[in-house]
Amino acid sequence: MIRLALFSFFCLFVVCASAQETTPAPAPVDPGKILTKENGFSDDPKTLMRTYWLNELAEAKNRWQERYDSLKTVPEIEQYQAERKEYFFKQLGEMWDKTPLNPKIVKTIEKGEPGKDAYRIELVLFESLPNFCVSGAMFLPDPTKFQAPYPTMLIVSGHAPEAKAYIPYQQAAALAATNGIAVLSVDPIDQGERTQRLDAEGKPLAVGVAAHNVIGTNSIPLGRNAATFEIWDMIRALDYLESRPDVDPKRIGVAGQSGGGTQTSYIMSLDDRVAVAVPNCYLCGLYGKLMSIQGPQDSEQNIFGQLGFGMDHVDYCIMRAPKPTMIGTVTKDFFPVEDAWNVYRNAKRIYDRFGFGERMSIAEHDDVHGWQKNLREAAVRWMLRWLAGRDEAIVESETMPICTLEELRCTPQGEVILLEGARSVYDWNRDYNEELLARRTAKQTSRTAEELRTTVRRIAGVRSLADIPFLDYEDHGEMALPPECKAIQSATKYLLRGEAGKIPLPAILFESSADSGEAVVYLNESGKSADLLRINELVAEGKHVVAVDLRGLGETQGIGANYYAHSLFGTDGVDYYFGYLLGKTYVGMRTEDLLAAARLLHDDISEHPIEVVASGETVGVVALHAGVLEPSLISKVRLDKPLRSWYEYVKAGCSSYPITNLVHGALLEYDIPDLQRQVELGR
């Protein structure tokens, strides 16, 4: 069992071979480097944004704690529950109308010895959306011992590639079935038989975490999440269970491990049909050790804005109070056991206020991450107690019969995507992408420039210029220039400090001897001094140029773990998801940095409106936002490289794109070409 637990741990973090990363080569010495120990940056500046986010997280935690402490009465708690449920559904984005499930039982398997440890498995397929099949296995009790309709449990799989066929998940399902509880165990997207992208040989291009992260980023501009699809699958799985005559629809529970614990936590808080819940090895809290030590997990575990709003792990329990809920946890988990106990204590206080404290419980096991035997037994006992009225000791047999991977195959070729007419997550996102394009096109003729500005401010999270703090600055001496930069008279390094000193913006002022009175803010996604020859060209036009590293770029570029594939999304995916959880966008924050720098340049050097020159996709998107929002400050935006639209990115299905350029839900209202058109109009 230790081997299986370690394998499960590996699967949670695995990135497929096609997305494996290597450690970046050391960067060349930056002649414009400013952030050093000598000026107060003893820590690696590349972790600066991580420190910033942890401070923001601490403030958000204090706000959450104050709100939690105010919950004294049942009506107050019920209002709190309703607010979070409404918010959760809103953040998942627009869902679908329910369509026929078209369920099929494709095979039946008999296991065990009748009258002893017998159970039956029905392999099932149903469509959570048209031609979007969910593969699952229905474990049914021995009808000679237990009478239908049965209490039933939905098991949602963790990140093991085998999903429903993973041995610990089979063991949990078989244990429940042999004790009189029917079980539907389903494959999540990009696991088991539900790979969404295959190569030419029919092999998965990515599975589990790596694949979920690609789905997540593809969904962000649409205002969706990888969790949107997982939750919809679970809603439809409950619909399927309700349609079966051998299932008691009033006695349905949900349980899952790790990534399945995430899914369990979501559906138990959102769907009132879940009578009993057992999330394992997940609940611990996003304001605690998990974030400070590891940072955000994969994309479906991060709901946009939830921590800024005040919806933590414990709220998934509170939102369903006082329905029976048990947390499963282990002592040697990367989901900290101490924080799991904090979730339990905070939830139990709320259950006590309803008068049902006994309905909130916790099971701890001294082991590593995984749905271990003790936790499987605890889960089944909890289900029996509340679904069947039987409070019995449950012991899992060491000889419990289970299936091979091949036996649990629902599809002829082992992949639902190979079924005739099958559609993928990316197909459904493309459909919505086209629908949103039509909506935006219809708005273009009637929407004024001011209406566009108001919309962009709201979605990207950009304050008006009057509300953006002024920058302080420090002179850090002259920068040596290569001989080919003949047009530049001088280059002075400055440290600009924004956000009340929290965020340093390294900058260099390049001055021209032929002063035209005009000034340029130059942005380069590789850093302020990455292309001195380009800056020399601008200075040769008689313009003063300030090259600046916006937050998280250049000297403060985050270098996180390869958890979010660097080759696809850039190196700062972990930092991006800190902001995502807090409801902030890097595009919005960098736009404010740019506007503050442009204002400083305008006030101190040039009376004319400022031109922005942007080299690279990451800074180009920011420059367009700034140009649209403050046309009286920024007269012109010049892009050295063409930009892809968010529409194009979603349509491509899976392609590289800087994750910090993604704005949650932007395509509901605007796209990059809309900004380009507005900047070109100059009003």
Side-chain angles (χ1 to χ4, degrees):
M1 293 305 299
I2 291 177
R3 181 186 66 81
L4 292 173
L6 290 175
F7 178 71
S8 179
F9 178 93
F10 170 77
C11 288
L12 185 64
F13 289 94
V14 68
V15 176
C16 67
S18 63
Q20 285 293 327
E21 306 290 337
T22 58
T23 303
V29 176
D30 180 2
K33 184 174 176 60
I34 295 172
L35 303 179
T36 65
K37 289 184 179 180
E38 286 70 28
N39 55 45
F41 292 90
S42 56
D43 294 327
D44 181 359
K46 295 187 182 302
T47 66
L48 182 143
M49 286 307 298
R50 179 72 58 88
T51 301
Y52 172 79
W53 288 127
L54 290 175
N55 289 333
E56 293 288 299
L57 198 65
E59 293 179 12
K61 179 182 179 180
N62 290 337
R63 294 193 298 270
W64 176 88
Q65 189 68 53
E66 183 178 353
R67 181 76 171 93
Y68 171 83
D69 290 342
S70 73
L71 302 176
K72 304 298 184 184
T73 67
V74 168
E76 289 172 342
I77 296 168
E78 289 174 339
Q79 180 182 356
Y80 184 87
Q81 292 173 319
E83 290 170 352
R84 271 137 197 81
K85 186 172 182 177
E86 179 183 6
Y87 178 82
F88 198 168
F89 270 121
K90 179 182 176 183
Q91 300 310 94
L92 292 172
E94 191 171 321
M95 288 191 173
W96 304 267
D97 294 329
K98 290 186 177 182
T99 51
L101 291 166
N102 297 326
K104 298 177 183 177
I105 298 173
V106 297
K107 182 180 177 181
T108 300
I109 304 169
E110 301 290 342
K111 282 290 179 181
E113 183 180 337
K116 184 180 178 183
D117 56 3
Y119 62 94
R120 185 172 79 259
I121 300 174
E122 293 179 354
L123 300 184
V124 301
L125 291 171
F126 63 86
E127 298 177 17
S128 63
L129 292 165
N131 294 314
F132 187 65
C133 278
V134 178
S135 45
M138 193 81 192
F139 292 70
L140 294 165
D142 182 349
T144 67
K145 293 178 64 177
F146 304 100
Q147 186 175 356
Y150 304 114
T152 302
M153 178 167 59
L154 173 65
I155 289 182
V156 281
S157 297
H159 285 99
E162 304 94 332
K164 67 181 180 301
Y166 187 46
I167 291 174
Y169 305 161
Q170 283 198 61
Q171 290 170 320
L175 180 62
T178 54
N179 281 278
I181 297 177
V183 173
L184 173 61
S185 183
V186 294
D187 290 333
I189 49 177
D190 275 316
Q191 293 172 242
E193 298 179 72
R194 298 190 66 206
T195 304
Q196 300 297 296
R197 296 183 302 126
L198 302 173
D199 64 16
E201 297 178 355
K203 296 179 180 179
L205 284 167
V207 296
V209 168
H212 293 169
N213 288 338
V214 176
I215 292 170
T217 53
N218 186 258
S219 301
I220 286 171
L222 302 172
R224 285 177 173 168
N225 189 293
T228 307
F229 291 93
E230 292 182 343
I231 289 169
W232 184 253
D233 283 345
M234 288 185 286
I235 290 172
R236 301 313 319 270
L238 294 175
D239 291 343
Y240 171 68
L241 288 176
E242 284 189 317
S243 74
R244 290 184 61 115
D246 53 359
V247 168
D248 184 343
K250 301 297 184 183
R251 295 188 294 163
I252 296 177
V254 180
Q257 152 70 22
S258 190
T262 306
Q263 295 176 71
T264 301
S265 300
Y266 289 168
I267 195 66
M268 76 184 192
S269 68
L270 293 174
D271 199 312
D272 291 337
R273 293 175 293 179
V274 180
V276 183
V278 185
N280 288 280
C281 292
Y282 173 64
L283 289 181
C284 62
L286 296 174
Y287 294 122
K289 287 184 177 181
L290 179 70
M291 295 286 279
S292 62
I293 295 172
Q294 295 186 47
Q297 303 297 290
D298 56 306
S299 61
E300 79 263 25
Q301 298 181 0
N302 308 315
I303 305 302
F304 180 65
Q306 70 175 102
L307 296 184
F309 176 78
M311 186 177 74
D312 197 13
H313 281 191
V314 65
D315 292 308
Y316 302 143
C317 299
I318 293 173
M319 287 159 70
R320 61 179 276 100
K323 293 182 178 180
T325 307
M326 184 177 75
I327 299 168
T329 186
V330 291
T331 57
K332 302 178 182 67
D333 204 345
F334 44 87
F335 294 119
V337 65
E338 305 96 323
D339 287 347
W341 277 94
N342 286 336
V343 169
Y344 164 69
R345 286 192 290 266
N346 284 326
K348 190 170 179 62
R349 292 189 194 115
I350 299 299
Y351 274 67
D352 283 337
R353 285 168 192 155
F354 277 99
F356 295 102
E358 75 281 0
R359 294 184 184 177
M360 185 71 222
S361 188
I362 189 167
E364 178 187 283
H365 182 48
D366 185 21
D367 212 325
V368 297
H369 183 82
W371 205 355
Q372 316 298 358
K373 178 175 179 290
N374 300 53
L375 293 184
R376 297 194 295 268
E377 292 170 343
V380 172
R381 181 171 185 175
W382 187 253
M383 290 288 172
L384 279 173
R385 178 181 179 185
W386 295 106
L387 293 180
R390 294 160 47 199
D391 195 359
E392 304 170 4
I394 300 298
V395 179
E396 182 179 290
S397 169
E398 296 292 338
T399 59
M400 179 77 70
I402 57 173
C403 295
T404 65
L405 186 66
E406 289 298 315
E407 282 182 296
L408 288 185
R409 177 181 286 182
C410 298
T411 56
Q413 296 173 274
E415 295 288 358
V416 297
I417 200 67
L418 296 176
L419 296 173
E420 184 178 356
R423 310 196 75 222
S424 71
V425 164
Y426 301 101
D427 292 325
W428 286 101
N429 273 351
R430 288 186 188 99
D431 286 353
Y432 192 40
N433 195 29
E434 296 297 332
E435 181 182 334
L436 293 180
L437 174 63
R439 292 186 200 175
R440 293 195 307 276
T441 301
K443 290 180 181 179
Q444 283 177 9
T445 55
S446 61
R447 184 166 57 185
T448 66
E450 188 55 40
E451 288 171 339
L452 176 61
R453 278 192 282 274
T454 299
T455 298
V456 171
R457 285 192 195 283
R458 173 176 56 83
I459 293 177
V462 183
R463 292 170 288 186
S464 66
L465 187 61
D467 293 328
I468 298 172
F470 283 83
L471 295 173
D472 296 324
Y473 59 92
E474 305 165 1
D475 187 330
H476 283 268
E478 293 297 304
M479 170 186 166
L481 293 168
E484 56 267 32
C485 292
K486 300 182 185 302
I488 301 173
Q489 185 178 38
S490 64
T492 308
K493 297 188 287 187
Y494 288 93
L495 183 58
L496 313 180
R497 292 186 181 271
E499 291 283 330
K502 296 178 184 177
I503 300 295
L505 305 177
I508 306 171
L509 172 61
F510 298 90
E511 295 189 89
S512 168
S513 57
D515 187 357
S516 68
E518 298 182 354
V520 173
V521 175
Y522 175 73
L523 306 174
N524 190 304
E525 64 186 9
S526 298
K528 61 192 176 302
S529 52
D531 191 351
L532 293 174
L533 293 180
R534 179 69 177 108
I535 294 171
N536 187 68
E537 291 175 2
L538 296 170
V539 173
E541 298 174 10
K543 299 173 180 178
H544 296 292
V545 176
V546 168
V548 60
D549 287 339
L550 306 178
R551 72 182 75 193
L553 290 172
E555 292 190 58
T556 61
Q557 171 78 57
I559 305 294
N562 297 329
Y563 192 60
Y564 298 98
H566 293 179
S567 62
L568 290 178
F569 310 125
T571 63
D572 38 17
V574 173
D575 286 346
Y576 173 82
Y577 272 106
F578 267 110
Y580 188 85
L581 283 161
L582 288 161
K584 296 187 177 184
T585 73
Y586 264 80
V587 168
M589 295 185 301
R590 287 171 175 168
T591 299
E592 291 191 357
D593 291 342
L594 171 54
L595 291 172
R599 178 176 58 190
L600 178 64
L601 185 58
H602 177 269
D603 292 349
D604 285 15
I605 294 178
S606 173
E607 296 180 356
H608 301 285
I610 304 300
E611 179 181 356
V612 177
V613 176
S615 180
E617 196 161 29
T618 300
V619 291
V621 170
V622 173
L624 288 177
H625 277 76
V628 166
L629 294 177
E630 298 295 343
S632 61
L633 174 64
I634 295 176
S635 62
K636 183 179 180 181
V637 174
R638 200 188 314 180
L639 304 175
D640 282 353
K641 297 178 182 178
L643 302 183
R644 289 174 291 171
S645 68
W646 292 316
Y647 165 85
E648 290 170 334
Y649 170 62
V650 174
K651 185 177 181 180
C654 175
S655 62
S656 62
Y657 198 85
I659 193 169
T660 55
N661 272 16
L662 296 175
V663 176
H664 186 84
L667 286 176
L668 275 72
E669 294 289 348
Y670 74 99
D671 196 1
I672 292 167
D674 299 322
L675 303 180
Q676 290 176 305
R677 280 191 295 270
Q678 190 61 47
V679 166
E680 289 165 4
L681 288 173
R683 56 181 175 85

